[in-house]
Amino acid sequence: NGIFFIVVPNPDSVGRKLKGKNWVGFRDKTHISLYNPQKWFKLLQEEGFIIEKTFGDGLWDSPYVPYVPAIIQRLFFGLPAIIQTLLTIPFIPVNLGESVVITVRKN
């Protein structure tokens, strides 16, 4: 009878597409299960969890775009994640996060 959330790298994210082999999910060797969000949803549901919310954590692994100063990119790409965190209202779509955040419960 609890609620919990998991945060896992999202290989379907825009960030992975922009960063390619340099994406954070590939650079961190502790990431051993790089499933797409749909696979995670299926696994959780098969184990009896009810998915409450899903959202992305933002594009925080800048720079993404060549020739644009990193500081500008950090502000531009990081601002939605900062706002989401400060407001505690998840609004970033799953595909716009380096990670997918999944809130689930089990009765």
Side-chain angles (χ1 to χ4, degrees), residues 42-101:
K42 182 180 177 194
L43 289 170
L44 289 164
Q45 289 169 336
E46 286 174 352
E47 292 301 320
F49 291 97
I50 299 166
I51 297 172
E52 296 283 324
K53 287 184 185 172
T54 62
F55 56 96
D57 65 346
L59 297 173
W60 47 264
D61 189 34
S62 60
Y64 295 99
V65 183
Y67 310 113
V68 176
I71 188 70
I72 293 172
Q73 292 188 57
R74 285 188 187 106
L75 290 171
F76 178 78
F77 289 113
L79 189 58
I82 292 168
I83 292 169
Q84 178 172 272
T85 302
L86 292 174
L87 295 178
T88 66
I89 300 171
F91 63 85
I92 297 174
V94 168
N95 69 325
L96 293 180
E98 298 294 350
S99 302
V100 58
V101 182

Side-chain angles (χ1 to χ4, degrees), residues 7-69:
V7 182
V8 292
N10 182 3
D12 288 349
S13 74
V14 170
R16 196 224 26 103
K17 292 171 184 151
L18 291 170
K19 300 282 278 202
K21 293 178 187 174
N22 292 320
W23 177 59
V24 65
F26 297 142
R27 291 192 325 258
D28 185 338
K29 299 301 179 200
T30 65
H31 295 153
I32 57 173
S33 298
L34 293 174
Y35 299 139
N36 66 28
Q38 292 71 30
K39 174 79 172 184
W40 284 112
F41 302 156
K42 182 180 177 194
L43 289 170
L44 289 164
Q45 289 169 336
E46 286 174 352
E47 292 301 320
F49 291 97
I50 299 166
I51 297 172
E52 296 283 324
K53 287 184 185 172
T54 62
F55 56 96
D57 65 346
L59 297 173
W60 47 264
D61 189 34
S62 60
Y64 295 99
V65 183
Y67 310 113
V68 176

